[in-house]
Amino acid sequence: MVSMWDDGRLCYGGDYNPEQWPAATWREDVALMRRARINLVTVGVFAWSRLEPAPGRYDFGWLDEVLDLLHDGGIRVALATPTASPPPWFSLAHPDALPVTADGVRLHHGSRDTYCAAAPAYRAAARGIAATLAARYAHHPAVALWHVHNEYGTTCHCPHAEAAFRRWLVERHGDLDTLNAAWATSFWSQHYTDWAYVSTPRATQYLGNPGQLLDFRRFWSDTLLAAYVEQRDLLTAANPALPVTTNYVLGDWVPVDHARWAAEVDLVAVDHYPSAVDGGAEEQTALAADLARGWARHGRRRAATRRGAAPADGPAGWLLMESAASQIHTTGRSHTKEPGRMARHSLSHVARGSRGAMFFQWRAPAGGAERFHSALVPHTGPDTRVFRETVRLGEHLDRLAEVTAGEVTASVALAFDAASGWALRHPGMPSTLLDGHAELAAAHRALWRAGYGCDIVVPGDPLDRYRLLVLPAVYLADDDVAGWVRAHVEAGGHLLVSYLSGVADQHGRVHLGGYPGAYRDLLGLRVEEFHPLAADEQVLLSGGGTGRIWSETVHLCGAEPVGTYVGGVLDGRPAVTRHRTGDGTAWYLSTRPDDRTYRRLLTEVARTAGLAPVCPDAPPGVEAVRRAGPQGSWLFLLNHTDRPQRVPVTGVDLFTDTPADGTVVLPAGGVAVVREEPAPMASVTATPPMTDRTPPA
Ligand code: GAL
């Protein structure tokens, strides 16, 4: 069924803020949008003070006119609820709804996101404006999608938040004995004898309680989700045919478990702004897109299970809701994307399942805090490189509608668990260099550079389609998670576990008896001591590689060493091991190898699992992603080098509509999308015999 947001084409557009411009500009905007083949724009994200300039006094005239203009221009609208930025009158009328930081400072309006999502006045006002918008626009022909709020992710320590946190804790733990045990409160005299004594994790003299901090993040994830769900329900009640989404912001700092949220949105939508400006930006783009696809699949399955139905077949749609056309502000200054990079990033997302490419923002404003953020129409206007690239990308996206029938099919599953990332950030961990997202990224990068596609899975997701499961520092493992990993291995699957995975239970309490308690037996080893490394320190590995961040004393209990430490206190001890487990192999990695070594190790692990890269003949620097389904197979080839590249492939080049008879030539920095004819075999080879011991480096 084609839903409102999905008219069969890929979506193309971005945040459009007509409230910042005079009406004459709106007309020019629509004309330019048509020239660039823009077909979806997000309107009203931060427009609350213009929609409701005084309490209960609404001004919808401008929005009515804009929606009509867009509709007449054939441009669909993702209509936003503006609740990420309450107007000044709101915070003055409800000072108790202003957020309080961990050290007790109450923030004031003047920026955005200045509210406590647990404050009743804020929630009532948010429902109010959402219901008012729903009543007026739920059947407007331009509106294709509701976009609730913007990048949920705030926390607060005000009395409302504290009361809500206690209620949430009662629900989660049931009684104080359970909470005391979960948080190990006998340590440092934190034993609670009354719920009233339990507070949010405010600024403390020294290290805070790890269980409390973890629960605080889980609480905020659930509280923000409840805030989203109540808006969603109001919007859906007004028109059940209109889908509802909210845009995710990525990173461990966000107290949102996006996987859990995915079952509550009709469409997973992510914003992505790579922090790297060199080649790392391409890897980060691939990771963000793989995460989004993983959440979309996970959410579809959870939602179906809840309904007692089987998950639908075919690709689980998701959408890149925001990205940057050019300048990205990172490392203290703006960096300009070189020609072609905007398209490569957009198409990397589309290759991995995005139903289009959306940007922040349509037109660069003259004023406001983000006046120097890039836009599809820059300050200079449409006679610019960026706008010409915008038009060109629109032409290309228009030719790619058919790829939505295909889905990325990977045989490697890379696990990610938001709570593990939060737990690793506790300052009492053995190293402050631990970063769950960076661990995920390092494993993903190794696969990406080796040319293997992967799906990102949430512990508990079905693993039957994967030959290899990778756990990169997935720190928390209760019995369910440990059983999920064990079942994969017992079914003949291969496994790579990196340090700190499975070390603690879901409250962050260490599994005793040797690390990693949840997987010791599977891995055939026992880790006795950690040796975290300083930021500028490295260990040498046999085979010539190096390790950073972490090293360990590993005792073998059935596993065999594959690589060892060289020199230092761990000289000659195992650094990388493998353990035969029936038909599979369980590998262990006790340090963070340099990128080259990690790539070689994962190549060896994947080869042992019988896997082959997506496009084994692609030259270095060319990224290959395949979407395939019953209706065909499409190969995306992204040339990240500064010279033309040739890739062997047979089919039809969709941008030029010409046959690719055995080879496609990619211009420097360019992209090709080829409908493959005939469709290739799956990238799984017969399992080769286990090779002799091969050092990873
Ligand atoms: C996003 C946000 C946008 C804009 C953008 C700038 O995170 O949703 O409103 O601020 O960042 O990069």
Side-chain angles (χ1 to χ4, degrees), residues 15 45-46 112 150-151 247 249 271 273 322 360 370 373:
D15 277 36
V45 177
F46 294 110
R112 66 180 183 190
N150 189 67
E151 298 189 336
N247 50 336
V249 56
D271 296 349
Y273 298 94
E322 283 183 28
F360 178 87
E370 294 189 322
H373 195 287

Side-chain angles (χ1 to χ4, degrees), residues 95 219 253 375 438 466 474 524:
F219 155 73
W253 62 273
Y466 305 107
V474 182

